[in-house]
Amino acid sequence: MDYICSKCGKKVSVSTRQARCSCGGLWKLDFTPPPFRPDGIDKSQWSQFRYRKYMALEDESWRELTLGEGMTPVVRMDGNVLLKMDYMMPTLSYKDRGAAVLMAHCKAAGVDYVVQDSSGNAGNSIAAYASRAGIPCEIFVPQGTSPKKIAMIRAHGAVCTVVPGNRDHCAAVCREKADREGLCPAAFAWTGPGGDPFLKSQGIGVDSALQHPADSEKTLSIRRGRRGCAGL
């Protein structure tokens, strides 16, 4: 698989350590999944990777680090509204979906160190899956981050660096280190692997639709974090 620059169209291998193109453009993954079919689901796998036929995965690295993410229960609130309980993810955050796929990519690409900026939940998730993948990890958090979140990040064996100032400054410090040392920035928002189809793994709530196929029903993902709940 390759990345394509969203600005100049340059194509590079997904094994690149560049967080963005030399022109400043962001990477988009050159990947189009096959049309979805229920018989493409591997029902022997109790995780989001039962849908791996439709995911941008280079190899079987995911098998070493999956924690069963994605298979959160669905409960009925009332009428046609269903709630998918994503706060029951392994690290208590829906971000485990993206973190699992992103770390599977890093493992497959031979990444030996990752950095990420976070306000807490994403950092905890990346720290957990980086640990599972055997990849050293440093999470940058802004001053004022909950001490409990910092403790959770460090409990996974990651370095947690508290940065004075606001969230934007924290992100800038993390990016500067990644650029200076040629490190892989495991950030959902702006890197190729985190920001494109890997983040779309958040939308693999297909299991909800399959459990409750009525077209008229709506499913809400109940998440732990700043974003209270959002429709899948």
Side-chain angles (χ1 to χ4, degrees):
M1 288 187 290
D2 295 312
Y3 292 141
I4 299 176
C5 175
S6 59
K7 186 175 180 180
C8 72
K10 179 181 178 181
K11 183 177 288 191
V12 300
S13 168
V14 292
S15 62
T16 181
R17 298 295 190 274
Q18 288 182 282
R20 54 189 176 277
C21 182
S22 55
C23 76
L26 301 181
W27 299 125
K28 288 181 62 68
L29 192 65
D30 186 15
F31 172 77
T32 302
F36 178 78
R37 292 172 53 90
D39 59 10
I41 301 170
D42 180 2
K43 295 183 179 180
S44 69
Q45 290 295 328
W46 190 255
S47 79
Q48 67 176 354
F49 292 102
R50 58 173 37 199
Y51 306 111
R52 63 187 179 278
K53 180 176 180 180
Y54 309 103
M55 300 165 74
L57 299 168
E58 295 97 316
D59 61 17
E60 299 291 293
S61 293
W62 62 271
R63 294 185 183 275
E64 302 176 34
L65 52 87
T66 181
L67 293 168
E69 59 290 322
M71 303 301 288
T72 50
V74 175
V75 300
R76 185 177 297 278
M77 185 173 75
D78 59 53
N80 292 327
V81 178
L82 304 173
L83 304 178
K84 186 159 175 60
M85 316 306 283
D86 270 1
Y87 62 83
M88 297 181 72
M89 288 284 188
T91 75
L92 312 182
S93 170
Y94 74 97
K95 294 179 180 179
D96 287 353
R97 287 195 177 98
V101 183
L102 177 51
M103 286 300 106
H105 162 74
C106 289
K107 182 79 171 177
V111 171
D112 54 13
Y113 198 91
V114 298
V115 294
Q116 190 208 47
D117 65 273
S118 172
S119 58
N121 289 334
N124 183 39
S125 187
I126 288 293
Y129 284 92
S131 177
R132 288 282 289 181
I135 300 174
C137 174
E138 182 175 5
I139 306 296
F140 293 79
V141 299
Q143 190 175 35
T145 297
S146 165
K148 291 183 179 180
K149 290 183 178 180
I150 293 173
M152 290 172 72
I153 291 169
R154 290 174 174 162
H156 296 302
V159 174
C160 187
T161 300
V162 180
V163 180
N166 60 25
R167 182 71 173 77
D168 289 340
H169 177 62
C170 177
V173 170
C174 180
R175 288 195 297 267
E176 191 276 332
K177 177 165 183 172
D179 290 343
R180 183 180 67 250
E181 300 183 19
L183 302 175
C184 178
F188 294 141
W190 60 283
T191 67
D196 207 11
F198 296 95
L199 185 57
K200 291 172 187 167
S201 62
Q202 310 297 356
I204 299 182
V206 182
D207 50 310
S208 304
L210 293 176
Q211 291 172 50
H212 303 273
D215 291 339
S216 62
E217 294 180 319
K218 297 292 185 181
T219 304
L220 295 180
S221 172
I222 305 303
R223 303 165 173 179
R224 179 181 183 274
R226 292 179 298 165
R227 299 174 180 85
C229 65
L232 288 178

